[in-house]
Amino acid sequence: MSSDNNGAGKALRYAVVGAGMAGILAAIKLKERGEEFTVYEKAARLGGTWRENRYPGLTCDVPAHAYTYSFEPYPEWKAFYAKGDEIQTYFEKTAEKYGVMPHIRFNSEVVSTVWDADRAVWKLGLVNGEQTEADVVIAASGVLHHPNLPAIPGLETFKGHAFHTARWDDEAPIEGAKVGLIGCGSTGIQIVTAINKKVEKLVHFQRSPQWIMPVEQFEYTEADREAFRKDPALMDAIRFSDEYIGNVRRFTDAITDFHSPEIKQIEEICQQYLDAKIADPELKQKLTPNYRAACKRLVYSWSYYDEVQNPSVYVETGGIERVEPNGVRMKDGTFHELDTLILATGFKADRFIRPTTVLGEGGVSLDDVWATRPTAYYAVTIPGFPNFFMLNGPTGPVGNFSLIDIAERQWDYIDQLIGLLRKGEATTVVPSTAAHENYEERRIAAAKNTIFGSGCASWYLDATGVPSSWPWSYDAFAEAMAAPKMEDYVVQ
Ligand code: NAP
């Protein structure tokens, strides 16, 4: 029974799909309100992306003190940019502290969720065949979690260890081994920096070079941590510093217009960094992208240009012909003998809650609604899918700034909508088709003008080539999430 301070207190049952950062956030917020909820998690542990990614060098490129829930600052970070395992620990500790662990059902993938209009409930099917119900579904199933495996001929014939970075193989030889690494996004670049000194040889297969934004990494001392423990305001000072939030504002302002002087400044910083660090003209040519900086998501690094010059690293820019049992054959006939082949080839970014079957009003499938592109009204709600809310859903500012900040703001928005249900003022809440069409029209027009649409291939683009990310500024996002426009919702 809801014991909220919002009025009548109608008992609602909530199903949260996914126990990653966003699902834990929803769980904490629901717990605080005394709501009845269950978090369904497909795996045996919480943590989402931080559980699945364990590759060497994994570091979050949002400053650690900005990559925490606003209500749970964490004095214990070891460095300005935190490593993946520390972040996993943070989420585990936080879930324990806020008492949400008993509400999580592990190994319980939701395979279907079907709207029953007569009873205004969602019927959920779990992987073990169990059926359950909820009045409200919170889809917190993450974005970059379906590995994109490259369609390279012969990959299955490789005799050594070949695996995607989100499925790290602890048995794979790295120390003193001949290692191949395909992919130059944030993941591939971080792996280069972490393993180049351990291997006998690292062949980095690069289809497209990346622009690197220089950042500084440093470790916090025990004295720093003690100061953070004593005075949490010091952590807020980092989170809201001009260094961080000012940069987020400048960055999101810059990306909204690829003709802007601000985006040119970003380009200059990246170019100057490349010029300053890479002297060898051949390597420099290999590492110079032929597209605008920030068109693909910028890679933030403090060491890549130093590490890639280690003689153990060879940047291979030729086309891959095929994988053979003992290595990789290039189109020009060159053969790279390898013990281990790492696939840092990214993720299918258009899946969201799928492959879960989601059927809304009239049995309409989310797959059909998303046939052209995944979309949601202000990234949170979908016409025809009442009482269904997404955290980090399609068209949100994924990749532009801290996903935690995004999810918290989206939760505030969702909380206002479910407040109507909780207070008994409504049975269903859903955005109107007209409002969503208007949103998409404006969003797509703006998206084409963002740096992501300036002419490069990346996971930001949908199947039609339109950038799928939030095309406006940080402040525009904050304002949109502050209060839903109720005239755009059908409330029954
Ligand atoms: P990604 O950015 O999508 O990069 C995939 C890489 O694989 C690209 O270099 C791509 O080349 C290459 N590739 C894909 N298929 C290929 C093929 N068939 N043959 C050769 N190369 C191929 O993936 P990611 O590096 O895993 O990063 C994904 C996102 O996760 C990032 O953009 C970022 O948002 C996030 N991430 C964040 C952090 C962090 O520190 N916060 C760390 C890691 C990842 P092309 O460019 O030519 O397509």
Side-chain angles (χ1 to χ4, degrees), residues 235-432:
M235 294 182 276
D236 272 357
I238 297 171
R239 189 185 186 96
F240 299 112
S241 65
D242 187 54
E243 183 71 24
Y244 174 61
I245 209 78
N247 268 343
V248 167
R249 282 213 167 84
R250 283 186 288 276
F251 178 72
T252 59
D253 285 349
I255 58 172
T256 56
D257 175 7
F258 67 75
H259 300 294
S260 69
E262 289 81 8
I263 199 77
K264 290 214 170 65
Q265 273 176 9
I266 289 175
E267 221 150 33
E268 278 162 25
I269 293 169
C270 295
Q271 181 69 56
Q272 283 164 10
Y273 187 45
L274 177 66
D275 293 344
K277 284 287 185 182
I278 309 288
D280 173 17
E282 195 187 327
L283 182 61
K284 187 166 164 188
Q285 197 192 10
K286 283 182 178 180
L287 298 183
T288 303
N290 64 357
Y291 57 87
R292 306 276 310 268
C295 182
K296 291 179 194 283
R297 186 179 184 275
L298 275 178
V299 173
Y300 296 76
S301 184
W302 51 92
S303 61
Y304 170 67
Y305 282 151
D306 294 323
E307 307 282 355
V308 75
Q309 295 180 73
N310 186 329
S312 65
V313 184
Y314 179 71
V315 179
E316 171 61 90
T317 55
I320 296 174
E321 174 71 20
R322 62 180 176 272
V323 176
E324 296 182 3
N326 295 316
V328 171
R329 176 81 57 192
M330 308 307 294
K331 286 197 189 319
D332 68 1
T334 308
F335 184 69
H336 295 288
E337 191 185 331
L338 300 171
D339 306 306
T340 296
L341 182 57
I342 304 168
L343 308 171
T345 43
F347 298 86
K348 292 174 184 160
D350 64 346
R351 305 279 81 202
F352 295 95
I353 191 174
R354 297 178 290 180
T356 302
T357 300
V358 183
L359 304 182
E361 284 169 340
V364 170
S365 158
L366 190 61
D367 254 339
D368 292 337
V369 173
W370 284 357
T372 306
R373 60 173 66 89
T375 174
Y377 176 69
Y378 280 91
V380 176
T381 49
I382 308 168
F385 295 79
N387 303 354
F388 183 93
F389 305 94
M390 301 192 78
L391 288 167
N392 291 316
T395 78
V398 169
N400 296 1
F401 51 93
S402 166
L403 275 182
I404 301 186
D405 189 357
I406 295 168
E408 286 194 10
R409 290 180 189 279
Q410 289 174 331
W411 180 264
D412 289 345
Y413 180 100
I414 292 169
D415 192 45
Q416 293 174 61
L417 294 173
I418 55 185
L420 299 171
L421 308 175
R422 218 169 28 225
K423 286 185 274 182
E425 291 176 13
T427 315
T428 58
V429 56
V430 67
S432 72

Side-chain angles (χ1 to χ4, degrees), residues 49-72:
T49 201
W50 303 106
R51 176 195 66 232
E52 299 213 341
N53 287 281
R54 300 183 297 108
Y55 62 79
L58 173 60
T59 311
C60 180
D61 60 17
V62 174
H65 285 294
Y67 197 79
T68 57
Y69 297 122
S70 58
F71 52 85
E72 185 59 19

Side-chain angles (χ1 to χ4, degrees), residues 50 55 58-62 144 148 150-152 164-165 182-188 190 205 207-208 210 296-297 320 344-347 399 457 459-460:
W50 303 106
Y55 62 79
L58 173 60
T59 311
C60 180
D61 60 17
V62 174
L144 300 172
N148 173 44
I152 301 174
H164 188 269
T165 48
I182 302 179
C184 302
S186 303
T187 305
Q190 289 183 346
F205 298 94
R207 189 165 69 180
S208 324
Q210 279 275 6
K296 291 179 194 283
R297 186 179 184 275
I320 296 174
T345 43
F347 298 86
W459 62 265
Y460 281 129

Side-chain angles (χ1 to χ4, degrees), residues 31-306:
K31 177 106 186 162
E32 277 173 358
R33 284 198 179 276
E35 301 282 353
E36 186 185 324
F37 68 95
T38 303
V39 183
Y40 296 96
E41 167 53 52
K42 68 180 175 190
R45 276 176 83 199
L46 59 73
T49 201
W50 303 106
R51 176 195 66 232
E52 299 213 341
N53 287 281
R54 300 183 297 108
Y55 62 79
L58 173 60
T59 311
C60 180
D61 60 17
V62 174
H65 285 294
Y67 197 79
T68 57
Y69 297 122
S70 58
F71 52 85
E72 185 59 19
Y74 189 58
E76 310 307 326
W77 296 121
K78 296 198 183 97
F80 187 71
Y81 293 105
K83 294 204 166 118
D85 55 353
E86 270 194 278
I87 300 173
Q88 173 68 15
T89 302
Y90 169 77
F91 287 121
E92 286 174 352
K93 280 187 178 173
T94 303
E96 285 283 357
K97 176 173 171 183
Y98 285 82
V100 300
M101 292 300 279
H103 296 265
I104 305 176
R105 281 193 56 180
F106 292 103
N107 302 309
S108 299
E109 182 173 358
V110 176
V111 293
S112 63
T113 174
V114 177
W115 176 246
D116 179 341
D118 294 337
R119 295 172 50 239
V121 294
W122 284 98
K123 293 177 169 175
L124 285 83
L126 306 186
V127 70
N128 64 359
E130 200 182 319
Q131 299 287 317
T132 184
E133 284 187 357
D135 300 293
V136 174
V137 171
I138 310 287
S141 48
V143 189
L144 300 172
H145 58 122
H146 294 288
N148 173 44
L149 294 175
I152 301 174
L155 187 54
E156 69 291 349
T157 68
F158 187 61
K159 284 204 297 208
H161 293 246
F163 54 93
H164 188 269
T165 48
R167 302 285 180 271
W168 193 261
D169 178 351
D170 292 315
E171 306 299 317
I174 300 288
E175 295 269 350
K178 298 184 188 73
V179 178
L181 171 64
I182 302 179
C184 302
S186 303
T187 305
I189 298 292
Q190 289 183 346
I191 291 173
V192 171
T193 63
I195 69 171
N196 72 82
K197 293 195 183 76
K198 298 180 180 160
V199 298
E200 178 193 322
K201 185 163 187 60
L202 174 60
V203 183
H204 194 189
F205 298 94
Q206 177 193 271
R207 189 165 69 180
S208 324
Q210 279 275 6
W211 286 109
I212 309 289
M213 172 60 79
V215 289
E216 270 183 53
Q217 166 73 316
F218 59 89
E219 306 225 324
Y220 289 120
T221 63
E222 184 46 33
D224 292 330
R225 284 188 282 275
E226 189 53 26
F228 289 136
R229 284 175 209 126
K230 282 195 180 129
D231 184 3
L234 293 174
M235 294 182 276
D236 272 357
I238 297 171
R239 189 185 186 96
F240 299 112
S241 65
D242 187 54
E243 183 71 24
Y244 174 61
I245 209 78
N247 268 343
V248 167
R249 282 213 167 84
R250 283 186 288 276
F251 178 72
T252 59
D253 285 349
I255 58 172
T256 56
D257 175 7
F258 67 75
H259 300 294
S260 69
E262 289 81 8
I263 199 77
K264 290 214 170 65
Q265 273 176 9
I266 289 175
E267 221 150 33
E268 278 162 25
I269 293 169
C270 295
Q271 181 69 56
Q272 283 164 10
Y273 187 45
L274 177 66
D275 293 344
K277 284 287 185 182
I278 309 288
D280 173 17
E282 195 187 327
L283 182 61
K284 187 166 164 188
Q285 197 192 10
K286 283 182 178 180
L287 298 183
T288 303
N290 64 357
Y291 57 87
R292 306 276 310 268
C295 182
K296 291 179 194 283
R297 186 179 184 275
L298 275 178
V299 173
Y300 296 76
S301 184
W302 51 92
S303 61
Y304 170 67
Y305 282 151
D306 294 323

